[in-house]
Amino acid sequence: MNKYYLTTPIYYVNDRPHIGHAYTTVVADALARYHRLRHDTTYFVTGTDENSQKNVQAMEKAGENDLAAYLERMAIAWYDTWRELGISFDNFIRTTEARHLAGVARFWKAVQASGDIYEGTYEGLYCTGCEAFKTETELIGDKCPLHPNKDLEHIKEKNYFFRLSAYREELLKLYAKGNNFVMPESRRHEIHNYVEDHLADVSISREAKSVPVGISVPGDLDQRIYVWFDALLNYMTAVGYGTDEAQFSTFWPADLHLVGKDIIKFHCALWPAMIMSAAKNDPLLRNADGSAKIPKQVHAHGFFTMDGVKISKSLGNAVDPREFIPNYGFDAVRYFLLREIPFGEDGDFSRERLASRYASDLGNTFGNLVNRAIAMSKKYFDGKVPPADITESSLPVNEQSVWDGKGGLDAIKSAVESAYAGNRCDVVLASIWDGVGDTRRSGLFQANKLIEETQPFKLVKEDPEAVGEILYALLESLRWYAWLMHPVMPNISVKIFEQLGLDARAELSKGWVQGLKWGGLTPGAVLGDPSPLFPRPESEGV
Ligand code: MSP
């Protein structure tokens, strides 16, 4: 059995989740659900990044002064939003938890024992928005381009440094093309160039007197660990590093870290170098051949923008994903986020696009298909799955069109599987909608086209047997689509199974490989009741 461990970034709690955060989290959830359907031992972690100055500033702005209470309230808000969006995380980690602190201390000591931590003085500009030091070349004017409305802090203080530059060669090897460590390719180039030309040692602590929060450096209470050094470690502490060696050994290394494009330097350079260093002194972090257990892949996505500007808490254009759930249901919101922009690229968020995709892709193209196929079968075949030769893999209907039922669905299934394997949920959905089919594409089973070209409602009088075959193939294709889209739209998928007269739980427990075999519907079995999957939204406004 394979294991599959994937993560989202952990989110700052200086505000509530917006559409951009929901995007990463929904992609991760779809991939986790896909792997569970494949019966992989899947573990999906998300959580909150709590030792950040940004959180303290937000608390003060809200007029509060109890940091622990603020962090807890906000962590719950994130947790609840994810649950409302159907996010099926296995573990939600907060970096103020004791289990995290235990792992951070263990890791720090391992890096220290490798001789990679030294004392020095840092002088430079710090952006609390990014929680990072900035060099002159990274600024536009005297501002951070990602946080133009925040002033940078000038800092000069004693810090601990991490010997990041010592890992340059090892990192460059890690970025070799075939490794797929950094995805997509454009980001691999970006990080490769950065490490080749600019990699320098980094400060990994701050003076306790100048930052209000942070985990203390083991053995030096005057220093706090730099928030990114602590935050990255959540990926390990969430699966037991420092508290549960057996669990850690089961899941580590992570198979996938999903991140936004703004945080790839931390994930693709600092993080693997930290592990390479600690591995020298911590056997839990080493493979049998002595190499470090580095995560398998970091896949970076682009930004949701609003009129071309990144959606962001600090820019004040945040959109709360929960706003759309009453009108469209969470499946449709998930569909929209994943379908709207090619994974890896930026794209604009618009309420009009959401409304139009809901009405056209979901309602007209897919919802109507489900309704028509089930209603016709019920009408012509006494409420039952029509009789058909289910061992038959092709479906010759007339001379102009030969609809290869099984072969045509297999082609869609293969496209969907390779898209899931490449974390491309946008391509998953595009491939399914190719199969639903409004535009003729050769080699695919296309449900809407099949109805249009064979007109079963007319053909039924002269050739009921052929109509039985056609409708069987249509219903069976719906069962396949329900499987293929389940990771993205779990509730809709369950409704489709139910309308097809299946017990959804029993169906899903077959697993992906058994479930996606031609002939899953039994001719003569009683169909469920059709009802609109995507009803008209109650309010036209959103
Ligand atoms: N706390 C750090 C991550 C630490 S991971 C060890 C952080 N938090 S964040 O809350 O600012 O951002 C979390 C993620 O949300 C990042 O991957 C970021 O790219 C993503 N997004 C924030 N705004 C976004 C959009 N407008 N669109 C898409 N994703 C965006 O960084």
Side-chain angles (χ1 to χ4, degrees):
M1 204 183 268
N2 292 326
K3 71 94 186 165
Y4 193 78
Y5 171 33
L6 82 165
T7 65
T8 70
I10 48 169
Y11 301 98
Y12 294 126
V13 290
N14 54 340
D15 205 346
R16 303 186 58 93
H18 62 58
I19 286 284
H21 308 120
Y23 181 58
T24 331
T25 315
V26 170
V27 172
D29 186 64
L31 297 174
R33 286 176 184 268
Y34 172 66
H35 282 275
R36 288 191 200 110
L37 288 180
R38 298 207 66 117
H39 290 169
D40 293 338
T41 304
T42 305
Y43 207 72
F44 166 24
V45 170
T46 189
T48 42
D49 189 349
E50 301 194 359
N51 302 309
S52 157
Q53 296 181 67
K54 290 160 79 114
N55 301 334
V56 179
Q57 289 166 354
M59 172 195 75
E60 286 165 353
K61 209 168 152 197
E64 296 179 39
N65 54 21
D66 182 343
L67 184 62
Y70 172 84
L71 293 174
E72 178 154 321
R73 181 164 58 74
M74 292 304 289
I76 291 171
W78 284 74
Y79 187 106
D80 287 349
T81 300
W82 296 153
R83 288 303 192 207
E84 282 180 53
L85 279 167
I87 306 298
S88 62
F89 50 82
D90 297 292
N91 199 327
F92 187 99
I93 183 147
R94 301 179 53 197
T95 52
T96 46
E97 287 176 72
R99 59 173 170 154
H100 180 69
L101 307 193
V104 171
R106 175 176 174 149
F107 192 92
W108 179 281
K109 286 180 199 152
V111 175
Q112 198 167 39
S114 302
D116 286 330
I117 294 180
Y118 62 91
E119 280 183 39
T121 302
Y122 196 95
E123 177 159 17
L125 295 169
Y126 192 85
C127 170
T128 43
C130 295
E131 288 284 16
F133 284 106
K134 295 277 159 176
T135 57
E136 296 291 336
T137 53
E138 290 172 306
L139 306 180
I140 295 183
D142 58 354
K143 302 278 191 216
C144 163
L146 287 173
H147 301 94
N149 48 10
K150 278 196 182 206
D151 287 331
L152 296 165
E153 281 175 59
H154 181 262
I155 284 163
K156 183 174 179 194
E157 59 179 40
K158 189 197 112 181
N159 287 172
Y160 288 103
F161 283 73
F162 172 57
R163 223 176 283 285
L164 178 57
S165 60
Y167 293 91
R168 186 170 171 278
E169 296 314 314
E170 260 184 277
L171 288 173
L172 290 174
K173 268 192 223 143
L174 179 64
Y175 308 146
K177 198 170 165 114
N179 277 350
N180 293 332
F181 174 70
V182 188
M183 292 290 283
E185 185 63 10
S186 55
R187 300 289 162 212
R188 187 177 76 84
H189 280 291
E190 180 184 327
I191 205 76
H192 191 282
N193 293 346
Y194 162 75
V195 167
E196 197 162 51
D197 300 338
H198 302 289
L199 196 68
D201 293 352
V202 282
S203 156
I204 51 163
S205 73
R206 296 290 312 274
E207 281 183 358
K209 63 179 186 320
S210 58
V211 286
V213 277
I215 301 174
S216 295
V217 166
D220 186 349
L221 290 179
D222 292 336
Q223 292 278 321
R224 295 187 202 273
I225 297 177
Y226 173 44
V227 62
W228 268 100
F229 193 93
D230 129 37
L232 288 162
L233 285 166
N234 92 85
Y235 300 134
M236 287 186 178
T237 57
V239 286
Y241 183 76
T243 51
D244 183 343
E245 295 194 4
Q247 190 199 30
F248 183 71
S249 303
T250 304
F251 290 109
W252 195 258
D255 294 85
L256 177 66
H257 293 316
L258 284 170
V259 297
K261 64 180 183 179
D262 51 336
I263 55 176
I264 58 169
K265 280 184 199 162
F266 296 108
H267 283 82
C268 301
L270 176 59
W271 179 222
M274 282 165 61
I275 303 169
M276 288 166 186
S277 171
K280 293 180 191 159
N281 286 288
D282 190 338
L284 266 187
L285 302 178
R286 285 199 297 269
N287 293 306
D289 67 0
S291 59
K293 289 188 173 179
I294 304 295
K296 307 241 174 70
Q297 187 170 83
V298 178
H299 200 145
H301 61 75
F303 290 151
F304 259 108
T305 56
M306 195 79 141
D307 302 320
V309 178
K310 182 190 174 202
I311 294 182
S312 142
K313 296 173 267 210
S314 53
L315 298 177
N317 60 355
V319 179
D320 188 333
R322 295 174 311 158
E323 173 187 337
F324 309 105
I325 297 175
N327 235 355
Y328 300 117
F330 78 69
D331 293 76
V333 176
R334 292 164 63 109
Y335 171 86
F336 176 73
L337 292 177
L338 268 44
R339 181 81 201 260
E340 184 66 2
I341 52 179
F343 193 66
E345 293 172 26
D346 292 350
D348 230 33
F349 176 84
S350 109
R351 291 178 164 80
E352 292 71 34
R353 295 277 306 154
L354 170 56
S356 112
R357 279 198 181 273
Y358 182 81
S360 74
D361 299 11
L362 295 177
N364 292 341
T365 305
F366 187 65
N368 282 350
L369 165 71
V370 177
N371 238 287
R372 285 165 86 196
I374 295 180
M376 281 192 284
S377 306
K378 284 189 86 114
K379 187 163 164 204
Y380 307 143
F381 296 94
D382 196 23
K384 302 201 174 115
V385 177
D389 178 1
I390 59 170
T391 56
E392 184 65 69
S393 69
S394 65
L395 181 69
V397 171
N398 60 33
E399 276 162 19
Q400 295 87 42
S401 61
V402 176
W403 295 93
D404 182 355
K406 181 181 180 309
L409 282 173
D410 274 340
I412 296 162
K413 178 184 148 202
S414 308
V416 166
E417 285 176 343
S418 52
Y420 275 128
N423 312 320
R424 294 295 304 263
C425 295
D426 55 318
V427 178
V428 165
L429 295 171
S431 307
I432 299 173
W433 259 255
D434 281 346
V436 172
D438 276 338
T439 320
R440 186 73 184 272
R441 301 265 302 264
S442 67
L444 297 183
F445 177 89
Q446 291 190 287
N448 275 324
K449 275 274 155 209
L450 179 59
I451 299 183
E452 192 185 302
E453 291 188 15
T454 60
Q455 309 223 327
F457 34 88
K458 288 192 184 147
L459 191 63
V460 69
K461 288 200 194 78
E462 46 189 274
D463 193 351
E465 208 177 302
V467 169
E469 296 282 344
I470 294 167
L471 289 181
Y472 181 85
L474 277 173
L475 296 180
E476 180 64 5
S477 79
L478 298 182
R479 194 182 67 83
W480 283 52
Y481 298 140
W483 268 99
L484 299 175
M485 69 177 61
H486 182 85
V488 179
M489 296 201 278
N491 277 0
I492 290 293
S493 150
V494 163
K495 284 187 187 162
I496 299 169
F497 288 138
E498 286 167 354
Q499 296 191 15
L500 290 170
L502 297 166
D503 178 307
R505 194 177 286 273
E507 178 68 13
L508 288 166
S509 70
K510 288 187 202 164
W512 186 267
V513 176
Q514 286 306 316
L516 284 162
K517 285 203 166 138
W518 180 259
L521 288 173
T522 311
V526 176
L527 287 165
D529 294 320
S531 73
L533 292 172
F534 303 101
R536 277 179 78 85
E538 279 172 19
S539 124
E540 293 292 331
V542 193

